[in-house]
Amino acid sequence: MGVGRGDRVTIAMPICPEAICLMLATTRIGAIHQVAFAGLGRTALAHRIRASGSRLVAGADVTYRKGKAIPLMGVLEAALADAGETVEACVVLQREPGTATLSPGRDLDWDDFLARATAATAGTSPPSRPTRPS
């Protein structure tokens, strides 16, 4: 996605393994992440995205509360519209496939996001790890 050292990423996702992996991956490449509570409203989320200068935003289509799916995509779409021009891409975890409409050219489905990473690292060797002294 072109995110590197010093770039900012907003993670506006519910608590899920994917959000934690994204936090760790962002830190690993030297980028700065901010976690925005998935229950924030349009204005609060837009303010956080704008204030951070995030190039990438990650969100989800729904969260679950008391066994019910709560839609998040509408708030995310509105916040991105208000956030300004710094956001280049939005990665969307579709937990309920078919409920979110992705914006062409900006939004990327989580599975496609992972496929890009696989393609980008194909043919490269894993980073060397220090060996333990015997």
Side-chain angles (χ1 to χ4, degrees), residues 61-62 64 93-101 109 111:
D61 59 349
V62 299
Y64 299 105
L93 173 64
Q94 295 191 63
R95 300 170 95 191
E96 299 268 328
T99 61
T101 303
D109 177 71
D111 293 332

Side-chain angles (χ1 to χ4, degrees), residues 58-134:
D61 59 349
V62 299
T63 189
Y64 299 105
R65 293 197 183 110
K66 297 183 181 180
K68 294 182 182 179
I70 310 296
L72 298 174
M73 199 62 195
V75 171
L76 182 58
E77 282 288 336
L80 288 169
D82 294 347
E85 300 297 318
T86 63
V87 177
E88 298 170 8
C90 180
V91 177
V92 180
L93 173 64
Q94 295 191 63
R95 300 170 95 191
E96 299 268 328
T99 61
T101 303
L102 304 183
S103 296
R106 185 198 65 203
D107 295 348
L108 186 64
D109 177 71
W110 183 265
D111 293 332
D112 295 335
F113 173 64
L114 294 181
R116 274 185 164 198
T118 301
T121 58
T124 61
S125 57
S128 61
R129 300 192 188 276
T131 57
R132 291 187 173 168
S134 355

Side-chain angles (χ1 to χ4, degrees), residues 41-75:
R42 165 190 188 153
T43 305
L45 181 55
H47 176 73
R48 283 161 177 78
I49 294 168
R50 187 173 42 252
S52 71
S54 291
R55 290 184 55 207
L56 177 73
V57 174
D61 59 349
V62 299
T63 189
Y64 299 105
R65 293 197 183 110
K66 297 183 181 180
K68 294 182 182 179
I70 310 296
L72 298 174
M73 199 62 195
V75 171

Side-chain angles (χ1 to χ4, degrees), residues 11 13-27 33 110:
I11 302 171
M13 299 174 73
I15 298 171
C16 59
E18 293 86 353
I20 295 166
C21 289
L22 193 53
M23 286 181 241
L24 293 170
T26 302
T27 302
H33 70 270
W110 183 265

